[in-house]
Amino acid sequence: MGYVEDFRRRIRGGELGSIPVVIGLIIIAIVFEAQTGTFLTPRNLSNISVYIAGPGIMAVGIVLVLLLGEIDLSIGSVAGLSAAIWAVLSVTHGVDDVVSILLAIAAGAAVGTVHGVFFAKVGVPAFVVTLAGFLGWSGVQIWVMGEEGTINIPRDSWVRDFTDFYFSDISAAYTLAAVITAGYVLLSWRHERRRAEARLAARPLTEILIRGGLVALIAFVTAYTLNQHRGLPLALVLFLAVLLLADFMVRRTTYGRQIFAVGGNAEAARRAGINVARVRLTVFTIAGALAAFGGLFLAGQGGGASKSLGSGNLLMNVIAAAVIGGTSLFGGRGWIWAALLGTLVIQSITSGLNLMNMSAEIQYMITGAVLLIAVVLDSVSRRTQRTAGRT
């Protein structure tokens, strides 16, 4: 009963967490399965797990920027530019594929650093800096591509493997599920033990095991579903790796706590001795690198780099994914896994509507409505927390 009362207290206090997103995903699955009969098939779910990788990795960078209370409007252009740099180096000029990939990601990080310098050092608002980047880097992308409208990916390219390679051995998916479950339980136990040693409130072992069981259920059901199609996609593995590394950085390091502090109150963080400019600059650098990495996945899915890669509704979808997943637009509140949940929501809607042969404008309207609901929930949640005496 203590768990139920604690849950009720958190809801009354406005701490909704990921509950609305999870409920939304369940409703989406039920509605589209009822309408199509094929939404929950292993093939469709496996395709969704691949399609979310590129935008999801980019959304991780946006989550970090939103935690600062800022925005990055350039990520689509950075993704397209980085894919163009990789394609020209690797395909056109024959540079080693791995070297080309690393240089493309480094280029994205460099672009993010430029944005961070103008924002953190010069004082130009991030909105203006990245809006200029959105326009300017699109031009650079077209210039890099030259006369080539599209550069196709060779069959033996690593970039193609990012989205086309599957671990067909069923043990791969189950092993990953087991590792994730064991890692979650172990890290949770160590964290709560340290809290108990510091005489802080800590979850009992029973609750840790219950949570671990829920993680195991999700992980092994996912592994079973993927194995019914082609196996474990490399795209999903790389996306999870980015999520885990970013989550560790944000929740387990001093730097991660500094990001929350700067996003919550930059002046208070400065008075506490935090180098606010350094935190802001490095976050935009990381966001640029992740946008570049995500751009390579988009190139893999599209069969090559093009002058239009990164344009269209990609930017809005990535920002929407971060917000829908539970990251606040007002800074200082959110979590890395919002990138996964939000991207899942958007891709599930897109996939379901495609199965129903709905037009693109319907997809835009529904995604926009979901985004609006997410922002309204965030605003209501903050107001409820202030009313309850929490910040």
Side-chain angles (χ1 to χ4, degrees):
M1 294 299 294
Y3 299 144
V4 176
E5 182 58 33
D6 180 63
F7 177 77
R8 289 176 177 172
R9 177 189 60 78
R10 292 175 62 185
I11 295 297
R12 288 195 298 267
E15 297 182 61
L16 300 177
S18 59
I19 295 174
V21 192
V22 174
I23 293 175
L25 280 171
I26 293 173
I27 293 174
I28 289 170
I30 293 174
V31 170
F32 283 130
E33 177 63 20
Q35 293 295 318
T36 66
T38 57
F39 182 81
L40 293 178
T41 59
R43 178 186 180 87
N44 188 57
L45 295 179
S46 179
N47 289 338
I48 289 176
S49 73
V50 173
Y51 293 148
I52 64 174
I57 290 171
M58 298 170 67
V60 172
I62 288 296
V63 168
L64 295 174
V65 173
L66 289 177
L67 289 177
L68 292 178
E70 303 297 337
I71 194 67
D72 188 345
L73 300 177
S74 68
I75 54 171
S77 299
V78 176
L81 172 61
S82 301
I85 290 173
W86 163 80
V88 169
L89 288 174
S90 178
V91 182
T92 304
H93 295 291
V95 178
D96 181 77
D97 204 33
V98 176
V99 174
S100 300
I101 290 172
L102 294 177
L103 289 175
I105 295 174
V111 168
T113 301
V114 170
H115 296 160
V117 168
F118 277 101
F119 167 54
K121 300 292 186 180
V122 181
V124 181
F127 177 89
V128 176
V129 173
T130 57
L131 179 59
F134 167 76
L135 299 171
W137 302 121
S138 295
V140 177
Q141 174 187 354
I142 295 172
W143 176 76
V144 169
M145 292 290 294
E147 296 181 357
E148 299 288 343
T150 301
I151 299 178
N152 295 324
I153 301 179
R155 290 184 175 273
D156 58 348
S157 171
W158 281 48
V159 171
R160 181 181 291 275
D161 288 340
F162 283 166
T163 54
D164 283 359
F165 183 82
Y166 290 75
F167 297 95
S168 57
D169 191 331
I170 63 172
S171 63
Y174 290 127
T175 299
L176 180 61
V179 169
I180 290 175
T181 302
Y184 174 82
V185 172
L186 177 61
L187 290 175
S188 297
W189 174 74
R190 289 184 60 186
H191 176 69
E192 299 304 329
R193 188 184 67 173
R194 289 177 180 175
R195 289 182 62 86
E197 291 173 350
R199 297 185 178 181
L200 298 172
R203 295 188 180 96
L205 179 60
T206 303
E207 182 176 350
I208 294 175
L209 293 177
I210 292 174
R211 288 169 174 259
L214 181 60
V215 170
L217 177 64
I218 296 172
F220 279 94
V221 168
T222 301
Y224 172 80
T225 303
L226 294 174
N227 281 332
Q228 300 308 301
H229 182 48
R230 296 176 59 186
L232 177 65
L234 176 61
L236 181 60
V237 174
L238 295 174
F239 183 24
L240 289 175
V242 170
L243 287 167
L244 290 170
L245 288 173
D247 182 66
F248 178 83
M249 178 191 72
V250 168
R251 295 198 300 122
R252 306 290 183 179
T253 67
T254 301
Y255 175 69
R257 291 190 288 271
Q258 290 175 348
I259 293 175
F260 280 101
V262 172
N265 190 317
E267 183 57 32
R270 184 179 290 107
R271 293 182 179 182
I274 296 175
N275 189 332
V276 174
R278 180 184 67 85
V279 172
R280 286 173 168 171
L281 191 154
T282 51
V283 164
F284 274 88
T285 299
I286 295 171
L290 291 174
F293 193 29
L296 296 177
F297 281 79
L298 298 178
Q301 291 175 9
S306 67
K307 293 181 178 180
S308 61
L309 193 150
S311 60
N313 63 335
L314 174 64
L315 170 63
M316 291 298 102
N317 278 345
V318 171
I319 295 176
V323 177
I324 290 170
T327 305
S328 175
L329 280 169
F330 306 103
R333 192 176 68 176
W335 63 326
I336 293 298
W337 295 91
L340 171 63
L341 292 175
T343 311
L344 264 177
V345 168
I346 292 178
Q347 185 57 49
S348 295
I349 293 173
T350 301
S351 177
L353 293 176
N354 285 339
L355 291 174
M356 295 174 63
N357 295 318
M358 290 288 185
S359 58
E361 56 267 26
I362 301 297
Q363 297 182 21
Y364 294 158
M365 287 188 283
I366 293 178
T367 303
V370 172
L371 174 59
L372 179 60
I373 292 171
V375 175
V376 169
L377 286 174
D378 181 37
S379 300
V380 172
S381 174
R382 280 187 171 267
R383 190 179 303 117
T384 303
Q385 287 192 16
R386 286 196 295 269
T387 303
R390 308 184 64 165
T391 57

